[in-house]
Amino acid sequence: MIGGIPAVYEYADKEKFYAQPGDVLLLPKGARYTRFVSHTSDSSEHIEYLINFQITDSIGNYIPLFDKIVKLSGYDENLKRIFQSVVACYRKSDIMGMKAKLYELFGSIFSSNIAQDECCLDYIRRHYTNNLLIPELARRCAMSETAYRKKFKELTGKSPVKYINHIKIAKSCELLTDGNLSIEYISDFLGFYNTPYFYKIFKSVMGMTPLEYKKQRK
Protein backbone atom coordinates (compact mmCIF):
# COMPACT_ATOMS: atom_id res chain seq x y z
CA MET A 1 0.00 0.00 0.00
CA ILE A 2 1.55 3.29 -1.10
CA GLY A 3 1.10 6.29 1.18
CA GLY A 4 2.43 9.83 0.91
CA ILE A 5 4.11 10.12 -2.48
CA PRO A 6 3.85 8.69 -6.02
CA ALA A 7 6.06 5.86 -7.28
CA VAL A 8 6.97 4.45 -10.69
CA TYR A 9 7.71 0.77 -11.36
CA GLU A 10 9.75 0.07 -14.49
CA TYR A 11 9.81 -3.46 -15.90
CA ALA A 12 12.87 -5.03 -17.52
CA ASP A 13 11.33 -4.23 -20.94
CA LYS A 14 11.09 -0.52 -19.92
CA GLU A 15 7.29 -0.60 -19.61
CA LYS A 16 6.23 1.60 -16.68
CA PHE A 17 3.52 1.31 -14.03
CA TYR A 18 2.52 4.45 -12.14
CA ALA A 19 1.29 4.25 -8.53
CA GLN A 20 -0.38 7.02 -6.59
CA PRO A 21 -0.67 7.63 -2.82
CA GLY A 22 -3.22 5.28 -1.26
CA ASP A 23 -3.04 2.63 -3.99
CA VAL A 24 -3.18 -1.04 -3.06
CA LEU A 25 -0.96 -3.00 -5.44
CA LEU A 26 -0.43 -6.67 -6.17
CA LEU A 27 3.26 -7.23 -6.98
CA PRO A 28 3.59 -10.62 -8.70
CA LYS A 29 6.13 -13.11 -7.44
CA GLY A 30 9.20 -13.15 -9.67
CA ALA A 31 8.28 -9.99 -11.60
CA ARG A 32 11.39 -8.06 -12.64
CA TYR A 33 11.02 -4.33 -12.05
CA THR A 34 12.76 -1.33 -10.53
CA ARG A 35 10.88 1.09 -8.26
CA PHE A 36 11.49 4.84 -8.33
CA VAL A 37 9.93 7.06 -5.65
CA SER A 38 9.37 10.77 -6.25
CA HIS A 39 11.31 13.04 -3.90
CA THR A 40 8.91 15.69 -2.63
CA SER A 41 8.70 17.98 0.35
CA ASP A 42 6.46 15.54 2.21
CA SER A 43 8.65 12.48 1.56
CA SER A 44 9.25 12.15 5.31
CA GLU A 45 5.58 11.19 5.65
CA HIS A 46 5.90 8.35 3.14
CA ILE A 47 4.66 5.04 4.58
CA GLU A 48 4.36 1.68 2.85
CA TYR A 49 2.90 -1.59 4.10
CA LEU A 50 4.02 -4.78 2.38
CA ILE A 51 2.42 -8.21 2.86
CA ASN A 52 4.32 -11.20 1.45
CA PHE A 53 2.16 -14.19 0.56
CA GLN A 54 1.57 -16.88 -2.03
CA ILE A 55 -1.47 -19.02 -2.79
CA THR A 56 -1.11 -22.78 -3.34
CA ASP A 57 -3.48 -25.58 -4.26
CA SER A 58 -4.28 -28.56 -2.06
CA ILE A 59 -1.00 -30.33 -2.91
CA GLY A 60 1.21 -27.29 -2.51
CA ASN A 61 1.58 -26.08 -6.11
CA TYR A 62 1.93 -22.30 -6.44
CA ILE A 63 -1.06 -20.58 -8.08
CA PRO A 64 -0.04 -17.40 -9.96
CA LEU A 65 -2.58 -14.56 -9.86
CA PHE A 66 -1.11 -12.06 -12.32
CA ASP A 67 2.12 -11.71 -14.28
CA LYS A 68 2.42 -7.93 -13.89
CA ILE A 69 1.61 -5.31 -11.25
CA VAL A 70 -2.11 -4.74 -10.74
CA LYS A 71 -3.72 -1.85 -8.88
CA LEU A 72 -6.35 -3.69 -6.86
CA SER A 73 -7.93 -0.59 -5.33
CA GLY A 74 -8.61 0.80 -8.77
CA TYR A 75 -11.10 -1.95 -9.59
CA ASP A 76 -12.41 -3.15 -6.24
CA GLU A 77 -12.80 -0.67 -3.39
CA ASN A 78 -13.70 -3.57 -1.09
CA LEU A 79 -10.12 -4.87 -1.33
CA LYS A 80 -8.82 -1.46 -0.31
CA ARG A 81 -11.19 -1.45 2.68
CA ILE A 82 -9.99 -4.90 3.80
CA PHE A 83 -6.34 -3.90 3.40
CA GLN A 84 -6.91 -0.83 5.56
CA SER A 85 -8.48 -3.09 8.20
CA VAL A 86 -5.34 -5.27 8.11
CA VAL A 87 -3.18 -2.17 8.68
CA ALA A 88 -5.45 -0.99 11.52
CA CYS A 89 -5.14 -4.37 13.27
CA TYR A 90 -1.36 -4.29 12.80
CA ARG A 91 -1.12 -0.86 14.41
CA LYS A 92 -3.14 -2.09 17.40
CA SER A 93 -1.05 -5.30 17.64
CA ASP A 94 -4.29 -7.23 17.15
CA ILE A 95 -2.70 -10.41 15.76
CA MET A 96 -5.88 -12.50 15.65
CA GLY A 97 -7.83 -9.71 13.99
CA MET A 98 -5.04 -9.20 11.48
CA LYS A 99 -4.99 -12.91 10.60
CA ALA A 100 -8.75 -12.93 10.07
CA LYS A 101 -8.57 -9.89 7.79
CA LEU A 102 -5.61 -11.34 5.88
CA TYR A 103 -7.61 -14.49 5.12
CA GLU A 104 -10.49 -12.28 3.96
CA LEU A 105 -8.10 -10.25 1.80
CA PHE A 106 -6.52 -13.30 0.17
CA GLY A 107 -9.91 -14.87 -0.43
CA SER A 108 -11.17 -11.70 -2.09
CA ILE A 109 -8.09 -11.44 -4.31
CA PHE A 110 -8.36 -15.06 -5.38
CA SER A 111 -12.12 -14.98 -6.03
CA SER A 112 -11.77 -11.67 -7.88
CA ASN A 113 -9.16 -13.22 -10.16
CA ILE A 114 -11.50 -16.11 -11.05
CA ALA A 115 -14.37 -13.73 -11.82
CA GLN A 116 -12.10 -11.52 -13.92
CA ASP A 117 -10.98 -14.45 -16.05
CA GLU A 118 -14.62 -15.18 -16.87
CA CYS A 119 -14.78 -12.06 -19.07
CA CYS A 120 -11.01 -11.66 -19.70
CA LEU A 121 -10.84 -8.60 -17.44
CA ASP A 122 -7.26 -9.36 -16.49
CA TYR A 123 -6.39 -9.70 -20.18
CA ILE A 124 -8.05 -6.34 -20.87
CA ARG A 125 -6.10 -4.62 -18.09
CA ARG A 126 -2.84 -5.95 -19.52
CA HIS A 127 -3.62 -5.08 -23.14
CA TYR A 128 -5.82 -1.99 -22.91
CA THR A 129 -3.48 0.00 -25.19
CA ASN A 130 -4.20 -2.47 -28.01
CA ASN A 131 -7.20 -2.29 -30.32
CA LEU A 132 -9.45 -4.63 -28.31
CA LEU A 133 -12.42 -5.87 -30.32
CA ILE A 134 -15.52 -7.13 -28.50
CA PRO A 135 -16.05 -10.13 -30.85
CA GLU A 136 -12.45 -11.22 -30.21
CA LEU A 137 -12.85 -10.87 -26.43
CA ALA A 138 -16.08 -12.87 -26.59
CA ARG A 139 -14.29 -15.59 -28.58
CA ARG A 140 -11.52 -15.75 -25.95
CA CYS A 141 -14.21 -16.35 -23.31
CA ALA A 142 -16.03 -18.93 -25.47
CA MET A 143 -19.20 -16.83 -25.52
CA SER A 144 -21.39 -15.25 -28.15
CA GLU A 145 -20.99 -11.48 -28.39
CA THR A 146 -24.46 -10.96 -26.91
CA ALA A 147 -23.78 -13.29 -23.96
CA TYR A 148 -20.38 -11.68 -23.41
CA ARG A 149 -21.81 -8.16 -23.27
CA LYS A 150 -24.50 -9.28 -20.83
CA LYS A 151 -22.06 -11.13 -18.54
CA PHE A 152 -19.59 -8.26 -18.70
CA LYS A 153 -22.24 -5.78 -17.55
CA GLU A 154 -23.20 -8.10 -14.68
CA LEU A 155 -19.57 -8.32 -13.48
CA THR A 156 -18.52 -4.69 -13.91
CA GLY A 157 -21.67 -2.60 -14.19
CA LYS A 158 -20.31 -1.19 -17.44
CA SER A 159 -20.29 -2.09 -21.12
CA PRO A 160 -16.98 -3.48 -22.44
CA VAL A 161 -16.21 -0.27 -24.35
CA LYS A 162 -16.97 1.97 -21.39
CA TYR A 163 -14.91 -0.26 -19.08
CA ILE A 164 -11.91 -0.15 -21.42
CA ASN A 165 -12.22 3.63 -21.80
CA HIS A 166 -12.32 4.07 -18.02
CA ILE A 167 -9.10 2.08 -17.70
CA LYS A 168 -7.47 4.22 -20.39
CA ILE A 169 -8.60 7.45 -18.77
CA ALA A 170 -7.36 6.30 -15.34
CA LYS A 171 -3.98 5.59 -16.91
CA SER A 172 -4.01 8.92 -18.75
CA CYS A 173 -4.52 10.72 -15.43
CA GLU A 174 -1.35 9.08 -14.15
CA LEU A 175 0.58 9.98 -17.30
CA LEU A 176 -0.68 13.58 -17.32
CA THR A 177 1.08 14.15 -13.99
CA ASP A 178 4.37 13.63 -15.85
CA GLY A 179 5.12 17.05 -17.32
CA ASN A 180 7.42 15.51 -19.94
CA LEU A 181 4.61 13.74 -21.81
CA SER A 182 2.47 15.60 -24.33
CA ILE A 183 -1.28 15.04 -24.55
CA GLU A 184 -0.84 13.88 -28.15
CA TYR A 185 1.70 11.27 -27.06
CA ILE A 186 -0.56 10.01 -24.26
CA SER A 187 -3.53 9.79 -26.64
CA ASP A 188 -1.50 7.78 -29.14
CA PHE A 189 0.08 5.56 -26.45
CA LEU A 190 -3.33 4.63 -25.04
CA GLY A 191 -4.64 3.68 -28.47
CA PHE A 192 -7.27 6.37 -29.01
CA TYR A 193 -8.31 6.99 -32.63
CA ASN A 194 -7.08 10.57 -32.48
CA THR A 195 -6.48 13.37 -29.97
CA PRO A 196 -9.94 15.00 -30.33
CA TYR A 197 -11.57 11.64 -29.52
CA PHE A 198 -9.30 11.31 -26.48
CA TYR A 199 -10.43 14.78 -25.36
CA LYS A 200 -14.08 13.77 -25.79
CA ILE A 201 -13.79 10.55 -23.76
CA PHE A 202 -11.62 12.18 -21.09
CA LYS A 203 -14.12 14.99 -20.54
CA SER A 204 -17.06 12.56 -20.40
CA VAL A 205 -15.31 10.62 -17.61
CA MET A 206 -13.48 13.37 -15.70
CA GLY A 207 -15.72 16.39 -16.34
CA MET A 208 -12.79 18.42 -17.69
CA THR A 209 -10.35 18.31 -20.60
CA PRO A 210 -6.91 16.65 -20.35
CA LEU A 211 -5.28 20.08 -20.52
CA GLU A 212 -7.43 21.38 -17.65
CA TYR A 213 -6.60 18.27 -15.62
CA LYS A 214 -2.88 18.69 -16.32
CA LYS A 215 -2.94 22.34 -15.21
CA GLN A 216 -4.92 21.41 -12.09
CA ARG A 217 -2.38 18.74 -11.11
CA LYS A 218 0.46 21.24 -11.45
Side-chain angles (χ1 to χ4, degrees):
M1 183 177 185
I2 306 297
I5 51 180
V8 179
Y9 294 80
E10 183 175 276
Y11 294 105
D13 60 4
K14 301 303 181 182
E15 180 183 352
K16 292 183 179 181
F17 181 95
Y18 295 81
Q20 298 298 320
D23 286 346
V24 177
L25 310 178
L26 180 64
L27 308 177
K29 180 180 179 180
R32 296 179 59 195
Y33 57 81
T34 303
R35 183 170 67 88
F36 304 94
V37 177
S38 301
H39 295 287
T40 61
S41 58
D42 63 348
S43 60
S44 61
E45 301 176 5
H46 175 65
I47 300 173
E48 289 181 273
Y49 294 95
L50 178 64
I51 300 174
N52 289 309
F53 72 94
Q54 68 179 32
I55 296 177
T56 60
D57 60 21
S58 59
I59 59 175
N61 294 318
Y62 171 66
I63 301 175
L65 294 178
F66 300 96
D67 58 4
K68 286 197 173 182
I69 297 172
V70 175
K71 183 165 64 175
L72 298 175
S73 55
Y75 306 101
D76 189 344
E77 285 298 320
N78 184 52
L79 290 174
K80 185 173 182 178
R81 178 189 61 77
I82 299 172
F83 194 102
Q84 289 170 339
S85 297
V86 173
V87 173
C89 290
Y90 171 77
R91 287 173 171 171
K92 294 186 296 184
S93 299
D94 180 3
I95 304 303
M96 295 303 295
M98 186 170 65
K99 284 184 176 181
K101 287 299 177 181
L102 281 173
Y103 281 122
E104 184 181 354
L105 177 67
F106 299 156
S108 296
I109 292 172
F110 188 60
S111 62
S112 293
N113 191 46
I114 294 174
Q116 288 161 7
D117 286 343
E118 191 170 3
C119 278
C120 293
L121 299 192
D122 181 43
Y123 177 84
I124 290 172
R125 290 203 292 269
R126 288 185 286 112
H127 299 87
Y128 62 88
T129 58
N130 298 347
N131 182 24
L132 297 174
L133 302 176
I134 308 308
E136 172 62 20
L137 291 172
R139 186 191 66 77
R140 282 180 171 273
C141 296
M143 298 183 194
S144 68
E145 186 175 343
T146 301
Y148 180 78
R149 289 180 183 275
K150 181 179 179 181
K151 188 64 180 180
F152 198 100
K153 186 71 176 289
E154 290 175 359
L155 285 176
T156 68
K158 298 182 177 69
S159 69
V161 172
K162 185 170 287 189
Y163 183 88
I164 293 168
N165 280 338
H166 272 71
I167 290 178
K168 289 185 176 185
I169 295 306
K171 183 65 176 180
S172 73
C173 288
E174 296 175 6
L175 297 176
L176 284 166
T177 62
D178 187 337
N180 296 322
L181 300 176
S182 70
I183 292 175
E184 290 74 17
Y185 172 86
I186 294 172
S187 172
D188 183 61
F189 170 74
L190 293 175
F192 285 99
Y193 302 123
N194 51 46
T195 303
Y197 182 67
F198 170 52
Y199 265 76
K200 178 182 177 181
I201 299 300
F202 191 97
K203 189 168 185 178
S204 70
V205 175
M206 300 300 297
M208 65 181 77
T209 67
L211 184 58
E212 290 169 340
Y213 180 86
K214 191 170 187 176
K215 288 180 179 179
Q216 185 183 83
R217 294 296 293 178
K218 285 185 178 181

